[in-house]
Amino acid sequence: MLSEQAAKVLGELRAGGRTDEQLAEICADLLDADGLAVSLVLDMGHTELVWCHGTASAQFEDLQFTLGEGPGPDALASGHPVRVPDLAEVRPGRWPALLGALDGLPVRAVYAFPLGLGAIQVGVLTVVRNGPRALSAQETDDATALARLLTARFLGGGQSTPQVLHRAVVHQATGMVSVQLDRPLAEALMRLRAYAYAHGRPITEVAQDVVARRLRFNDDETGPDVPVGDRG
C-alpha cells in the first residue's frame, strides 16, 4: 500500500511541471535516501543517466557504468530488485572491481529497482544511503510503485530517449574506438571501461581524451591503448 507522501509524489510525476533534478530530489526525500539515480538503456546497450540527486550517487553510477558491475547492472540483467543494506557485508567475489573502488565514497547501502515490463528492461532506479540502513516495508512499497510509474513514463510516454545525453562523450568515444580497432561497439566500450579502471579515472574523462585525439586505442605490441598526445 502506498504511503500518503508517495501518492503525492507520484501525482507530481504524472502532472509534470518540474525539472528532472527537482523530481529526483523529491523522490529521494520520499525514500529517505542520500542519493537517487535513474538510468535508461539506450539502443546500443549503453545506460544513460537521466535523473540524479546527490554527488555520491552520481559517482556511484559512474563507477557502475565504468566497471559494468554492481546492484544496478544486476537488477537490469535479472529483472528483479537488488537490495544491499550494507556494502561492507557483501562477499568480495560478488562485485570485486566495484567494492575495491568504493574507498572514500560515502555510499553504504544500495537498492536497485529495474524499470521493466516482462522481458523488456528500459532502465534502473538506484537508491543510495550513506549509512547501513535497510529500506522499511513501506519504503520498499513506495520504491516499487515509483519504479512502475517510471517504467510507464519512459516506456510508453514518449520519453524513452533522453533529450540530453549526460554520457554523450562516452558514446562518441565508443564509436571512435570501434573504428580505430575495427571492433564492435560492445568491445570498444569494454576497452574504454578497462582503460578507465586500470588508470583510476572516470570514464567520461577518458572519453574526452579520445574525442580530443589525446588518446588513441590500437592493437599492437604496445598493448590495447596508446597515448598519442594531440596527434590525430
Short mmCIF file of all heavy atoms in Angstrom, two decimals, residues 98-140:
data_model
loop_
_atom_site.label_atom_id
_atom_site.label_comp_id
_atom_site.label_asym_id
_atom_site.label_seq_id
_atom_site.Cartn_x
_atom_site.Cartn_y
_atom_site.Cartn_z
N LEU A 98 34.06 -3.23 -8.24
CA LEU A 98 33.27 -2.15 -7.64
C LEU A 98 33.62 -1.97 -6.17
O LEU A 98 33.87 -0.86 -5.70
CB LEU A 98 31.79 -2.43 -7.81
CG LEU A 98 30.85 -1.39 -7.17
CD1 LEU A 98 30.91 -0.07 -7.93
CD2 LEU A 98 29.40 -1.90 -7.11
N LEU A 99 33.63 -3.08 -5.43
CA LEU A 99 33.90 -2.99 -4.00
C LEU A 99 35.30 -2.43 -3.74
O LEU A 99 35.51 -1.69 -2.78
CB LEU A 99 33.74 -4.36 -3.35
CG LEU A 99 32.31 -4.93 -3.35
CD1 LEU A 99 32.30 -6.36 -2.80
CD2 LEU A 99 31.36 -4.05 -2.55
N GLY A 100 36.23 -2.77 -4.61
CA GLY A 100 37.59 -2.27 -4.44
C GLY A 100 37.74 -0.80 -4.79
O GLY A 100 38.74 -0.18 -4.41
N ALA A 101 36.75 -0.24 -5.49
CA ALA A 101 36.84 1.15 -5.93
C ALA A 101 36.02 2.11 -5.07
O ALA A 101 35.96 3.30 -5.35
CB ALA A 101 36.38 1.26 -7.39
N LEU A 102 35.40 1.60 -4.02
CA LEU A 102 34.49 2.41 -3.21
C LEU A 102 35.17 3.20 -2.10
O LEU A 102 34.49 3.97 -1.42
CB LEU A 102 33.40 1.52 -2.59
CG LEU A 102 32.35 0.96 -3.54
CD1 LEU A 102 31.41 0.03 -2.78
CD2 LEU A 102 31.58 2.08 -4.22
N ASP A 103 36.46 3.01 -1.92
CA ASP A 103 37.15 3.66 -0.81
C ASP A 103 36.96 5.18 -0.86
O ASP A 103 37.26 5.83 -1.86
CB ASP A 103 38.65 3.34 -0.88
CG ASP A 103 39.39 3.82 0.36
OD1 ASP A 103 38.82 3.76 1.45
OD2 ASP A 103 40.55 4.27 0.21
N GLY A 104 36.44 5.73 0.22
CA GLY A 104 36.23 7.17 0.31
C GLY A 104 34.90 7.65 -0.21
O GLY A 104 34.55 8.82 -0.02
N LEU A 105 34.16 6.79 -0.89
CA LEU A 105 32.85 7.19 -1.42
C LEU A 105 31.78 6.94 -0.36
O LEU A 105 31.63 5.82 0.12
CB LEU A 105 32.52 6.39 -2.68
CG LEU A 105 31.26 6.81 -3.45
CD1 LEU A 105 31.42 8.21 -4.01
CD2 LEU A 105 30.98 5.82 -4.58
N PRO A 106 31.01 7.98 0.04
CA PRO A 106 30.02 7.82 1.10
C PRO A 106 28.75 7.12 0.64
O PRO A 106 27.66 7.69 0.66
CB PRO A 106 29.76 9.26 1.54
CG PRO A 106 29.97 10.06 0.30
CD PRO A 106 31.10 9.38 -0.43
N VAL A 107 28.90 5.88 0.21
CA VAL A 107 27.76 5.05 -0.17
C VAL A 107 27.89 3.74 0.57
O VAL A 107 28.87 3.02 0.41
CB VAL A 107 27.72 4.80 -1.70
CG1 VAL A 107 26.63 3.79 -2.04
CG2 VAL A 107 27.49 6.10 -2.46
N ARG A 108 26.90 3.41 1.38
CA ARG A 108 26.98 2.21 2.20
C ARG A 108 25.84 1.24 1.92
O ARG A 108 26.03 0.02 1.96
CB ARG A 108 26.98 2.61 3.68
CG ARG A 108 27.27 1.49 4.65
CD ARG A 108 28.72 1.03 4.62
NE ARG A 108 28.94 -0.02 5.60
CZ ARG A 108 29.29 0.19 6.86
NH1 ARG A 108 29.49 1.44 7.30
NH2 ARG A 108 29.48 -0.82 7.69
N ALA A 109 24.65 1.77 1.63
CA ALA A 109 23.51 0.93 1.31
C ALA A 109 23.00 1.29 -0.08
O ALA A 109 22.94 2.47 -0.44
CB ALA A 109 22.39 1.11 2.34
N VAL A 110 22.65 0.26 -0.87
CA VAL A 110 22.21 0.48 -2.25
C VAL A 110 21.00 -0.40 -2.54
O VAL A 110 20.99 -1.59 -2.18
CB VAL A 110 23.32 0.17 -3.28
CG1 VAL A 110 22.85 0.49 -4.69
CG2 VAL A 110 24.60 0.92 -2.96
N TYR A 111 20.02 0.20 -3.21
CA TYR A 111 18.81 -0.54 -3.61
C TYR A 111 18.53 -0.22 -5.07
O TYR A 111 18.34 0.94 -5.43
CB TYR A 111 17.63 -0.15 -2.72
CG TYR A 111 17.92 -0.41 -1.26
CD1 TYR A 111 18.53 0.58 -0.47
CD2 TYR A 111 17.65 -1.65 -0.69
CE1 TYR A 111 18.84 0.33 0.85
CE2 TYR A 111 17.96 -1.90 0.63
CZ TYR A 111 18.56 -0.91 1.40
OH TYR A 111 18.89 -1.16 2.72
N ALA A 112 18.53 -1.24 -5.91
CA ALA A 112 18.33 -1.06 -7.35
C ALA A 112 17.04 -1.73 -7.77
O ALA A 112 16.85 -2.93 -7.55
CB ALA A 112 19.51 -1.61 -8.12
N PHE A 113 16.15 -0.95 -8.38
CA PHE A 113 14.86 -1.45 -8.85
C PHE A 113 14.81 -1.35 -10.37
O PHE A 113 14.92 -0.26 -10.92
CB PHE A 113 13.71 -0.63 -8.24
CG PHE A 113 13.61 -0.73 -6.75
CD1 PHE A 113 14.41 0.08 -5.93
CD2 PHE A 113 12.75 -1.63 -6.15
CE1 PHE A 113 14.33 -0.01 -4.55
CE2 PHE A 113 12.67 -1.73 -4.76
CZ PHE A 113 13.46 -0.92 -3.96
N PRO A 114 14.66 -2.49 -11.06
CA PRO A 114 14.63 -2.43 -12.53
C PRO A 114 13.36 -1.75 -13.02
O PRO A 114 12.29 -1.86 -12.40
CB PRO A 114 14.65 -3.90 -12.94
CG PRO A 114 14.05 -4.63 -11.77
CD PRO A 114 14.47 -3.86 -10.55
N LEU A 115 13.49 -1.03 -14.11
CA LEU A 115 12.34 -0.44 -14.79
C LEU A 115 12.06 -1.33 -15.99
O LEU A 115 12.80 -1.30 -16.98
CB LEU A 115 12.64 0.99 -15.24
CG LEU A 115 13.23 1.94 -14.19
CD1 LEU A 115 13.42 3.33 -14.79
CD2 LEU A 115 12.35 2.00 -12.95
N GLY A 116 11.04 -2.13 -15.89
CA GLY A 116 10.79 -3.07 -16.97
C GLY A 116 9.37 -3.58 -17.00
O GLY A 116 8.60 -3.43 -16.05
N LEU A 117 9.03 -4.18 -18.14
CA LEU A 117 7.72 -4.78 -18.35
C LEU A 117 7.95 -6.12 -19.00
O LEU A 117 8.33 -6.20 -20.17
CB LEU A 117 6.86 -3.88 -19.25
CG LEU A 117 5.41 -4.33 -19.48
CD1 LEU A 117 4.65 -4.36 -18.16
CD2 LEU A 117 4.74 -3.41 -20.48
N GLY A 118 7.76 -7.19 -18.23
CA GLY A 118 8.06 -8.52 -18.74
C GLY A 118 9.54 -8.65 -19.02
O GLY A 118 10.38 -8.35 -18.18
N ALA A 119 9.86 -9.09 -20.25
CA ALA A 119 11.26 -9.27 -20.62
C ALA A 119 11.91 -7.97 -21.07
O ALA A 119 13.12 -7.93 -21.31
CB ALA A 119 11.37 -10.31 -21.75
N ILE A 120 11.14 -6.90 -21.17
CA ILE A 120 11.67 -5.62 -21.64
C ILE A 120 12.19 -4.82 -20.45
O ILE A 120 11.43 -4.47 -19.55
CB ILE A 120 10.60 -4.80 -22.38
CG1 ILE A 120 10.04 -5.59 -23.57
CG2 ILE A 120 11.16 -3.47 -22.85
CD1 ILE A 120 8.86 -4.91 -24.24
N GLN A 121 13.48 -4.55 -20.45
CA GLN A 121 14.08 -3.73 -19.40
C GLN A 121 14.49 -2.38 -19.99
O GLN A 121 15.28 -2.34 -20.94
CB GLN A 121 15.30 -4.43 -18.79
CG GLN A 121 14.99 -5.78 -18.14
CD GLN A 121 14.01 -5.65 -16.99
OE1 GLN A 121 14.07 -4.71 -16.22
NE2 GLN A 121 13.10 -6.61 -16.87
N VAL A 122 13.93 -1.32 -19.47
CA VAL A 122 14.23 0.00 -20.04
C VAL A 122 15.19 0.81 -19.18
O VAL A 122 15.72 1.83 -19.63
CB VAL A 122 12.93 0.82 -20.26
CG1 VAL A 122 12.03 0.12 -21.25
CG2 VAL A 122 12.20 1.07 -18.94
N GLY A 123 15.41 0.39 -17.94
CA GLY A 123 16.31 1.16 -17.10
C GLY A 123 16.33 0.65 -15.67
O GLY A 123 15.84 -0.45 -15.38
N VAL A 124 16.90 1.45 -14.79
CA VAL A 124 17.01 1.06 -13.39
C VAL A 124 16.95 2.29 -12.50
O VAL A 124 17.51 3.34 -12.83
CB VAL A 124 18.30 0.24 -13.15
CG1 VAL A 124 19.53 1.06 -13.49
CG2 VAL A 124 18.38 -0.27 -11.72
N LEU A 125 16.25 2.16 -11.39
CA LEU A 125 16.18 3.17 -10.34
C LEU A 125 17.11 2.72 -9.22
O LEU A 125 16.96 1.62 -8.68
CB LEU A 125 14.75 3.28 -9.81
CG LEU A 125 14.54 3.99 -8.47
CD1 LEU A 125 14.85 5.48 -8.60
CD2 LEU A 125 13.11 3.78 -7.96
N THR A 126 18.08 3.57 -8.88
CA THR A 126 19.05 3.21 -7.84
C THR A 126 18.97 4.20 -6.69
O THR A 126 19.07 5.41 -6.89
CB THR A 126 20.48 3.20 -8.41
OG1 THR A 126 20.54 2.31 -9.53
CG2 THR A 126 21.48 2.74 -7.36
N VAL A 127 18.78 3.67 -5.51
CA VAL A 127 18.65 4.45 -4.27
C VAL A 127 19.87 4.17 -3.40
O VAL A 127 20.22 3.00 -3.19
CB VAL A 127 17.36 4.07 -3.52
CG1 VAL A 127 17.25 4.84 -2.21
CG2 VAL A 127 16.14 4.29 -4.39
N VAL A 128 20.55 5.22 -2.92
CA VAL A 128 21.72 5.00 -2.08
C VAL A 128 21.57 5.74 -0.75
O VAL A 128 20.93 6.78 -0.66
CB VAL A 128 23.03 5.45 -2.78
CG1 VAL A 128 23.22 4.73 -4.10
CG2 VAL A 128 23.06 6.95 -3.01
N ARG A 129 22.19 5.16 0.26
CA ARG A 129 22.25 5.77 1.59
C ARG A 129 23.69 5.76 2.06
O ARG A 129 24.44 4.83 1.73
CB ARG A 129 21.35 5.00 2.58
CG ARG A 129 19.86 5.25 2.35
CD ARG A 129 18.99 4.37 3.21
NE ARG A 129 17.61 4.85 3.23
CZ ARG A 129 16.60 4.19 3.78
NH1 ARG A 129 16.80 3.02 4.35
NH2 ARG A 129 15.38 4.70 3.76
N ASN A 130 24.07 6.78 2.83
CA ASN A 130 25.47 6.85 3.26
C ASN A 130 25.75 6.06 4.52
O ASN A 130 26.88 6.01 5.00
CB ASN A 130 25.91 8.31 3.44
CG ASN A 130 25.05 9.07 4.43
OD1 ASN A 130 24.37 8.46 5.27
ND2 ASN A 130 25.06 10.38 4.35
N GLY A 131 24.73 5.40 5.05
CA GLY A 131 24.90 4.52 6.19
C GLY A 131 24.23 3.19 5.94
O GLY A 131 23.39 3.07 5.03
N PRO A 132 24.57 2.15 6.71
CA PRO A 132 23.98 0.82 6.51
C PRO A 132 22.56 0.76 7.05
O PRO A 132 22.31 0.29 8.17
CB PRO A 132 24.93 -0.09 7.30
CG PRO A 132 25.46 0.79 8.39
CD PRO A 132 25.58 2.17 7.79
N ARG A 133 21.61 1.22 6.24
CA ARG A 133 20.21 1.27 6.67
C ARG A 133 19.33 0.55 5.67
O ARG A 133 19.37 0.84 4.47
CB ARG A 133 19.74 2.72 6.80
CG ARG A 133 20.44 3.50 7.91
CD ARG A 133 19.87 4.90 8.02
NE ARG A 133 20.22 5.72 6.88
CZ ARG A 133 19.38 6.51 6.23
NH1 ARG A 133 18.11 6.54 6.59
NH2 ARG A 133 19.79 7.26 5.22
N ALA A 134 18.54 -0.37 6.16
CA ALA A 134 17.63 -1.12 5.30
C ALA A 134 16.41 -0.27 4.97
O ALA A 134 15.98 0.58 5.76
CB ALA A 134 17.20 -2.41 5.99
N LEU A 135 15.85 -0.49 3.78
CA LEU A 135 14.56 0.12 3.46
C LEU A 135 13.48 -0.53 4.29
O LEU A 135 13.45 -1.75 4.45
CB LEU A 135 14.23 -0.07 1.98
CG LEU A 135 15.00 0.73 0.93
CD1 LEU A 135 14.51 0.34 -0.47
CD2 LEU A 135 14.84 2.22 1.13
N SER A 136 12.57 0.26 4.81
CA SER A 136 11.42 -0.29 5.54
C SER A 136 10.46 -0.94 4.54
O SER A 136 10.57 -0.73 3.31
CB SER A 136 10.71 0.81 6.31
OG SER A 136 10.09 1.72 5.41
N ALA A 137 9.50 -1.68 5.05
CA ALA A 137 8.50 -2.30 4.17
C ALA A 137 7.72 -1.22 3.41
O ALA A 137 7.43 -1.38 2.22
CB ALA A 137 7.55 -3.17 5.00
N GLN A 138 7.42 -0.12 4.09
CA GLN A 138 6.69 0.96 3.43
C GLN A 138 7.53 1.61 2.36
O GLN A 138 7.06 1.90 1.25
CB GLN A 138 6.25 2.01 4.46
CG GLN A 138 5.43 3.15 3.86
CD GLN A 138 4.11 2.66 3.28
OE1 GLN A 138 3.20 2.28 4.00
NE2 GLN A 138 4.00 2.67 1.96
N GLU A 139 8.80 1.85 2.65
CA GLU A 139 9.70 2.46 1.67
C GLU A 139 9.88 1.54 0.46
O GLU A 139 9.97 2.01 -0.68
CB GLU A 139 11.05 2.78 2.31
CG GLU A 139 10.99 3.95 3.29
CD GLU A 139 12.22 4.07 4.16
OE1 GLU A 139 12.98 3.07 4.27
OE2 GLU A 139 12.43 5.14 4.75
N THR A 140 9.92 0.24 0.71
CA THR A 140 10.04 -0.71 -0.39
C THR A 140 8.80 -0.66 -1.28
O THR A 140 8.89 -0.67 -2.51
CB THR A 140 10.25 -2.13 0.14
OG1 THR A 140 11.47 -2.18 0.91
CG2 THR A 140 10.35 -3.14 -0.99
#
